[in-house]
Amino acid sequence: MKPNPTETAPSPGPASPIDPAPPRQRRGPARDRHGAPGTPDTLLCLDIETVADPGLPAIDSDTFPKPCRHQIVAISYVEARIAVDPATGYERYMVQQCRSGGNEDWDERRLLAAFWRFFAAGRYRIVSWNGRGFDLPVLQARALVHGIPVQAWYRRGDRWNGYESRYAPDWHTDLMDVLSGFGASPRMGLDECAVALGLPGKAGEHGAHVAGQITRGDLAGVRAYCECDTVNTMAVYVRHALLCGKTDVAGHDASMRSLVDYLASEGRTRPHLRTFLDRWMSSSRPAPMFVGKVA
């Protein structure tokens, strides 16, 4: 359902004349419902890959499975520390790791349990592409199937700001949703947006290929593909942060430099990240990495 255009979406920061939240409720860090500080301090650019759950009765093959009917085979992410300039409030994103959760021999339940423990132990701003429509509903539905508690998702934040709020980008920024004006304009695919920015995008790969790769036993290839999607998402988020004023030109370029340096270092032993960086660096698109005069 499309949001009512007459409603004001709550957002962090000082109250304005049209902001429905009273000033006293907008001050200080957001807290979870037990009173502990809960403001996200780390980006988690997240993506999952799935196949149809083979243990459930078959349905029409032309119908895209509902969240509970997916079996998760890969959970990947880029993790980046959010550094805030105390003088300006602008953010920078310092990449710490890009990886897939668990080991290749883990079953879905173990993979999910480990992810939700990892999530609960940190203070993450989730960044996704269609995460509200797919990734998070699947992660939650499959936790429901396996009986895995995910209370950190539901109990953190406050009345206006938290993971469940569509209009709380400091908690979860679904880039596909945000860049469409929450459905006001046509939604882009990650590949479309990434390629427009000079990123490699999908580079010929697609989620529709995942089932075949799993059948062939190529889980390593699925994990590599999923990780590259998270790198695309991370780079698009940095450009979005510049667009909406969460960072400035210097912060944008420092964040991109952090991502590039990480890919160059990790690419020595992880070929898919090296290939991603090579394709990105060879892009002919305008300002594919840096927007300042000096990179």
Side-chain angles (χ1 to χ4, degrees):
M1 181 176 69
K2 293 184 179 180
N4 186 337
T6 64
E7 294 178 350
T8 301
S11 61
S16 69
I18 61 170
D19 194 322
R24 66 178 181 84
Q25 294 169 310
R26 311 296 283 182
R27 294 178 185 151
R31 296 178 177 271
D32 70 20
R33 291 167 195 170
H34 296 291
T39 306
D41 61 8
T42 305
L43 292 185
L44 196 69
C45 300
L46 181 69
D47 188 51
I48 67 171
E49 297 302 332
T50 70
V51 296
D53 185 341
L56 292 174
I59 58 173
D60 184 351
S61 60
D62 293 332
T63 302
F64 189 73
K66 301 296 193 300
C68 67
R69 301 183 65 89
H70 288 262
Q71 179 177 308
I72 298 170
V73 295
I75 304 174
S76 303
Y77 57 87
V78 173
E79 188 176 4
R81 178 174 58 86
I82 302 172
V84 181
D85 184 331
T88 65
Y90 287 132
E91 297 180 346
R92 296 187 180 198
Y93 313 109
M94 303 294 101
V95 176
Q96 297 173 309
Q97 61 176 334
C98 171
R99 58 162 298 187
S100 296
N103 299 323
E104 290 184 26
D105 61 347
W106 285 18
D107 63 17
E108 183 191 41
R109 190 185 195 288
R110 188 176 181 185
L111 187 64
L112 272 168
F115 169 75
W116 285 113
R117 285 196 303 271
F118 167 79
F119 177 79
R123 292 161 50 193
Y124 296 110
R125 176 187 301 165
I126 299 294
V127 178
S128 68
W129 194 277
N130 194 30
R132 285 196 185 283
F134 180 72
D135 302 77
L136 272 305
V138 171
L139 285 165
Q140 293 163 22
R142 295 305 289 187
L144 179 74
V145 168
H146 290 289
I148 298 168
V150 299
Q151 60 264 37
W153 179 266
Y154 294 101
R155 296 174 69 86
R156 289 181 178 171
D158 58 30
R159 181 177 176 183
W160 294 275
N161 297 294
Y163 294 115
E164 294 186 88
S165 174
R166 187 182 189 185
Y167 305 107
D170 282 347
W171 292 81
H172 180 189
T173 299
D174 180 340
L175 287 164
M176 189 182 80
D177 199 27
V178 169
L179 291 173
S180 72
F182 302 102
S185 66
R187 291 178 169 88
M188 295 179 284
L190 176 58
D191 189 52
E192 292 177 288
C193 186
V195 170
L197 268 62
L199 290 153
K202 298 284 187 177
E205 298 174 311
H206 195 277
H209 302 155
V210 167
Q213 288 179 275
I214 294 298
T215 300
R216 296 191 299 272
D218 184 21
L219 180 55
V222 171
R223 286 159 66 100
Y225 160 69
C226 195
E227 289 170 13
C228 287
D229 266 4
T230 68
V231 178
N232 277 306
T233 302
M234 170 72 188
V236 174
Y237 180 78
V238 172
R239 189 64 59 84
H240 167 70
L242 176 66
L243 178 75
C244 67
K246 295 189 79 67
T247 191
D248 58 3
V249 168
H252 170 281
D253 286 359
S255 302
M256 288 295 198
R257 172 54 63 192
S258 177
L259 180 57
V260 167
D261 288 349
Y262 177 85
L263 294 174
S265 175
E266 286 291 297
R268 298 188 185 105
T269 55
R270 300 165 69 187
H272 61 290
L273 297 183
R274 180 72 248 181
T275 299
F276 185 100
L277 180 59
D278 289 344
R279 287 173 174 162
W280 190 11
M281 293 180 70
S282 64
S283 171
S284 61
R285 296 290 303 165
M289 291 181 180
F290 307 106
V291 295
K293 292 182 179 179
V294 179

